[in-house]
Amino acid sequence: MQGSPLPIGYISQAFMEESFRGKGLMKPMPEQAYQWFRDGGITIVTLSVLHRNWIGATAWHRLGFSDWREERRMELKPRPK
């Protein structure tokens, strides 16, 4: 039997106002969240970036995040009555 699953932290929303982009602010921004995760014994952090958000994806890659999985989404329409 395997051990308990590892607790995983998740960053659900992050946004940088366009006028602040490109100023090196992204690196210090998540540090408080990382410390909060560490304090809770969390050693893995995940997040999602919209597939067309190449600026955001590039920024998170520069912070050490790597591609892990791909997700697909579909909106179900109600069945006709």
Side-chain angles (χ1 to χ4, degrees):
M1 181 174 177
Q2 295 182 3
S4 299
L6 293 174
I8 296 175
Y10 182 75
I11 297 173
S12 64
Q13 298 287 323
F15 178 79
M16 179 79 62
E17 181 70 39
E18 192 169 344
S19 63
F20 291 101
R21 294 177 190 165
K23 300 183 186 322
L25 300 173
M26 185 68 176
K27 188 172 184 176
M29 190 175 76
E31 280 303 321
Q32 285 187 327
Y34 296 162
Q35 190 56 50
W36 186 84
F37 290 137
R38 287 182 190 107
D39 291 347
I42 294 170
T43 59
I44 297 172
V45 179
T46 64
L47 55 84
S48 296
V49 178
L50 294 176
H51 74 286
R52 292 186 177 140
N53 182 358
W54 62 271
I55 293 172
T58 300
W60 289 111
H61 275 278
R62 287 181 180 156
L63 288 174
F65 284 81
S66 58
D67 293 340
W68 179 53
R69 71 175 179 198
E70 284 192 38
E71 293 185 73
R72 298 290 182 254
R73 178 179 162 163
M74 181 179 80
E75 185 175 331
L76 292 176
K77 308 290 185 206
R79 286 186 177 222
K81 293 183 180 187

